[in-house]
Short mmCIF file of all heavy atoms in Angstrom, two decimals:
data_model
loop_
_atom_site.label_atom_id
_atom_site.label_comp_id
_atom_site.label_asym_id
_atom_site.label_seq_id
_atom_site.Cartn_x
_atom_site.Cartn_y
_atom_site.Cartn_z
N ALA A 92 -4.89 16.63 -7.07
CA ALA A 92 -3.43 16.65 -7.09
C ALA A 92 -2.86 15.88 -5.90
O ALA A 92 -1.87 15.15 -6.04
CB ALA A 92 -2.92 18.09 -7.09
N MET A 93 -3.48 16.03 -4.74
CA MET A 93 -2.98 15.36 -3.54
C MET A 93 -3.21 13.85 -3.63
O MET A 93 -2.29 13.06 -3.35
CB MET A 93 -3.69 15.93 -2.31
CG MET A 93 -3.35 17.38 -2.02
SD MET A 93 -4.40 18.17 -0.78
CE MET A 93 -3.96 17.25 0.69
N VAL A 94 -4.40 13.45 -4.02
CA VAL A 94 -4.70 12.02 -4.12
C VAL A 94 -3.84 11.38 -5.20
O VAL A 94 -3.30 10.28 -5.01
CB VAL A 94 -6.20 11.80 -4.39
CG1 VAL A 94 -6.48 10.34 -4.73
CG2 VAL A 94 -7.03 12.23 -3.19
N PHE A 95 -3.73 12.06 -6.33
CA PHE A 95 -2.96 11.47 -7.44
C PHE A 95 -1.50 11.33 -7.08
O PHE A 95 -0.83 10.38 -7.50
CB PHE A 95 -3.11 12.29 -8.72
CG PHE A 95 -2.86 11.51 -9.96
CD1 PHE A 95 -3.90 10.91 -10.65
CD2 PHE A 95 -1.57 11.32 -10.45
CE1 PHE A 95 -3.67 10.15 -11.79
CE2 PHE A 95 -1.32 10.57 -11.58
CZ PHE A 95 -2.38 9.97 -12.24
N PHE A 96 -0.97 12.26 -6.29
CA PHE A 96 0.42 12.13 -5.86
C PHE A 96 0.61 10.85 -5.06
O PHE A 96 1.60 10.12 -5.25
CB PHE A 96 0.85 13.33 -5.02
CG PHE A 96 2.25 13.20 -4.48
CD1 PHE A 96 3.34 13.60 -5.23
CD2 PHE A 96 2.49 12.64 -3.22
CE1 PHE A 96 4.64 13.46 -4.75
CE2 PHE A 96 3.78 12.49 -2.74
CZ PHE A 96 4.86 12.90 -3.51
N ALA A 97 -0.31 10.58 -4.15
CA ALA A 97 -0.19 9.37 -3.32
C ALA A 97 -0.20 8.11 -4.20
O ALA A 97 0.60 7.19 -3.99
CB ALA A 97 -1.33 9.31 -2.31
N ILE A 98 -1.08 8.09 -5.19
CA ILE A 98 -1.16 6.93 -6.09
C ILE A 98 0.11 6.82 -6.92
O ILE A 98 0.75 5.76 -6.99
CB ILE A 98 -2.38 7.06 -7.01
CG1 ILE A 98 -3.67 7.13 -6.19
CG2 ILE A 98 -2.43 5.91 -8.02
CD1 ILE A 98 -4.88 7.58 -7.00
N TRP A 99 0.48 7.91 -7.55
CA TRP A 99 1.63 7.91 -8.46
C TRP A 99 2.93 7.61 -7.72
O TRP A 99 3.75 6.81 -8.21
CB TRP A 99 1.72 9.28 -9.15
CG TRP A 99 3.05 9.58 -9.76
CD1 TRP A 99 3.54 9.10 -10.94
CD2 TRP A 99 4.07 10.44 -9.23
NE1 TRP A 99 4.80 9.61 -11.18
CE2 TRP A 99 5.14 10.43 -10.14
CE3 TRP A 99 4.18 11.21 -8.07
CZ2 TRP A 99 6.31 11.16 -9.93
CZ3 TRP A 99 5.33 11.94 -7.87
CH2 TRP A 99 6.38 11.91 -8.79
N TRP A 100 3.14 8.19 -6.57
CA TRP A 100 4.41 8.02 -5.89
C TRP A 100 4.58 6.59 -5.39
O TRP A 100 5.67 6.01 -5.49
CB TRP A 100 4.53 9.00 -4.73
CG TRP A 100 5.87 8.99 -4.06
CD1 TRP A 100 6.15 8.67 -2.77
CD2 TRP A 100 7.14 9.31 -4.65
NE1 TRP A 100 7.48 8.76 -2.51
CE2 TRP A 100 8.13 9.16 -3.66
CE3 TRP A 100 7.52 9.73 -5.92
CZ2 TRP A 100 9.48 9.40 -3.90
CZ3 TRP A 100 8.88 9.96 -6.17
CH2 TRP A 100 9.83 9.79 -5.17
N ALA A 101 3.51 6.00 -4.86
CA ALA A 101 3.59 4.60 -4.43
C ALA A 101 3.83 3.68 -5.62
O ALA A 101 4.60 2.72 -5.54
CB ALA A 101 2.32 4.20 -3.69
N TRP A 102 3.17 3.97 -6.76
CA TRP A 102 3.40 3.19 -7.98
C TRP A 102 4.85 3.31 -8.44
O TRP A 102 5.49 2.33 -8.79
CB TRP A 102 2.46 3.66 -9.08
CG TRP A 102 2.68 2.94 -10.39
CD1 TRP A 102 2.12 1.77 -10.78
CD2 TRP A 102 3.57 3.34 -11.45
NE1 TRP A 102 2.58 1.40 -12.03
CE2 TRP A 102 3.49 2.35 -12.46
CE3 TRP A 102 4.43 4.42 -11.65
CZ2 TRP A 102 4.21 2.42 -13.65
CZ3 TRP A 102 5.16 4.49 -12.83
CH2 TRP A 102 5.04 3.50 -13.81
N MET A 103 5.36 4.54 -8.42
CA MET A 103 6.72 4.76 -8.90
C MET A 103 7.74 4.07 -8.00
O MET A 103 8.71 3.48 -8.48
CB MET A 103 7.00 6.26 -8.95
CG MET A 103 7.77 6.64 -10.20
SD MET A 103 7.98 8.41 -10.37
CE MET A 103 9.26 8.69 -9.21
N ASN A 104 7.53 4.13 -6.71
CA ASN A 104 8.44 3.48 -5.78
C ASN A 104 8.56 2.00 -6.08
O ASN A 104 9.66 1.43 -6.15
CB ASN A 104 7.94 3.67 -4.35
CG ASN A 104 8.30 5.01 -3.76
OD1 ASN A 104 8.41 5.16 -2.56
ND2 ASN A 104 8.49 6.02 -4.59
N PHE A 105 7.39 1.36 -6.22
CA PHE A 105 7.40 -0.07 -6.52
C PHE A 105 8.06 -0.35 -7.87
O PHE A 105 8.84 -1.30 -8.01
CB PHE A 105 5.97 -0.61 -6.54
CG PHE A 105 5.86 -2.00 -7.10
CD1 PHE A 105 6.17 -3.10 -6.31
CD2 PHE A 105 5.47 -2.22 -8.41
CE1 PHE A 105 6.09 -4.40 -6.82
CE2 PHE A 105 5.39 -3.49 -8.94
CZ PHE A 105 5.70 -4.60 -8.14
N THR A 106 7.78 0.46 -8.87
CA THR A 106 8.28 0.21 -10.23
C THR A 106 9.80 0.23 -10.29
O THR A 106 10.42 -0.68 -10.87
CB THR A 106 7.69 1.26 -11.19
OG1 THR A 106 6.27 1.09 -11.23
CG2 THR A 106 8.26 1.11 -12.59
N TRP A 107 10.42 1.23 -9.69
CA TRP A 107 11.87 1.33 -9.75
C TRP A 107 12.54 0.27 -8.86
O TRP A 107 13.59 -0.26 -9.21
CB TRP A 107 12.32 2.73 -9.36
CG TRP A 107 11.97 3.75 -10.40
CD1 TRP A 107 10.78 4.40 -10.54
CD2 TRP A 107 12.79 4.22 -11.48
NE1 TRP A 107 10.82 5.24 -11.62
CE2 TRP A 107 12.04 5.16 -12.20
CE3 TRP A 107 14.10 3.94 -11.87
CZ2 TRP A 107 12.55 5.82 -13.32
CZ3 TRP A 107 14.62 4.60 -12.98
CH2 TRP A 107 13.84 5.53 -13.69
N PHE A 108 11.92 -0.01 -7.72
CA PHE A 108 12.47 -1.06 -6.86
C PHE A 108 12.41 -2.40 -7.58
O PHE A 108 13.37 -3.18 -7.57
CB PHE A 108 11.69 -1.15 -5.55
CG PHE A 108 12.18 -2.23 -4.62
CD1 PHE A 108 13.20 -1.98 -3.72
CD2 PHE A 108 11.65 -3.51 -4.68
CE1 PHE A 108 13.67 -2.97 -2.88
CE2 PHE A 108 12.11 -4.52 -3.85
CZ PHE A 108 13.13 -4.25 -2.95
N ALA A 109 11.26 -2.71 -8.20
CA ALA A 109 11.11 -3.99 -8.89
C ALA A 109 12.08 -4.11 -10.05
O ALA A 109 12.61 -5.20 -10.32
CB ALA A 109 9.67 -4.13 -9.40
N SER A 110 12.36 -3.03 -10.73
CA SER A 110 13.31 -3.08 -11.84
C SER A 110 14.70 -3.47 -11.37
O SER A 110 15.45 -4.12 -12.08
CB SER A 110 13.36 -1.73 -12.55
OG SER A 110 14.12 -1.80 -13.73
N ALA A 111 15.03 -3.09 -10.14
CA ALA A 111 16.36 -3.38 -9.61
C ALA A 111 16.43 -4.67 -8.81
O ALA A 111 17.48 -5.34 -8.82
CB ALA A 111 16.83 -2.21 -8.73
N TYR A 112 15.34 -5.06 -8.13
CA TYR A 112 15.45 -6.15 -7.15
C TYR A 112 14.42 -7.27 -7.28
O TYR A 112 14.47 -8.23 -6.50
CB TYR A 112 15.34 -5.57 -5.73
CG TYR A 112 16.56 -4.81 -5.30
CD1 TYR A 112 16.59 -3.43 -5.36
CD2 TYR A 112 17.69 -5.48 -4.83
CE1 TYR A 112 17.72 -2.72 -4.96
CE2 TYR A 112 18.82 -4.78 -4.43
CZ TYR A 112 18.83 -3.40 -4.49
OH TYR A 112 19.95 -2.71 -4.11
N ASP A 113 13.52 -7.20 -8.20
CA ASP A 113 12.46 -8.21 -8.30
C ASP A 113 13.05 -9.62 -8.43
O ASP A 113 13.74 -9.92 -9.41
CB ASP A 113 11.58 -7.90 -9.52
CG ASP A 113 10.48 -8.91 -9.72
OD1 ASP A 113 10.29 -9.79 -8.85
OD2 ASP A 113 9.80 -8.81 -10.76
N ASN A 114 12.77 -10.50 -7.44
CA ASN A 114 13.19 -11.90 -7.56
C ASN A 114 11.99 -12.84 -7.63
O ASN A 114 12.15 -14.05 -7.73
CB ASN A 114 14.12 -12.29 -6.41
CG ASN A 114 13.38 -12.39 -5.09
OD1 ASN A 114 12.22 -11.98 -4.96
ND2 ASN A 114 14.06 -12.92 -4.07
N ASP A 115 10.80 -12.30 -7.52
CA ASP A 115 9.55 -13.04 -7.71
C ASP A 115 9.42 -14.26 -6.80
O ASP A 115 8.78 -15.24 -7.17
CB ASP A 115 9.40 -13.45 -9.18
CG ASP A 115 7.95 -13.80 -9.55
OD1 ASP A 115 7.05 -13.14 -9.01
OD2 ASP A 115 7.74 -14.74 -10.34
N ASP A 116 10.01 -14.20 -5.61
CA ASP A 116 9.80 -15.32 -4.70
C ASP A 116 8.55 -15.06 -3.85
O ASP A 116 7.85 -14.04 -4.03
CB ASP A 116 11.03 -15.57 -3.83
CG ASP A 116 11.30 -14.45 -2.81
OD1 ASP A 116 10.60 -13.42 -2.87
OD2 ASP A 116 12.21 -14.61 -1.99
#
Side-chain angles (χ1 to χ4, degrees):
M93 294 169 66
V94 170
F95 204 94
F96 176 87
I98 300 167
W99 162 78
W100 186 242
W102 177 87
M103 221 175 77
N104 279 206
F105 169 80
T106 297
W107 290 85
F108 179 88
S110 188
Y112 287 99
D113 179 8
N114 71 350
D115 199 36
D116 69 353

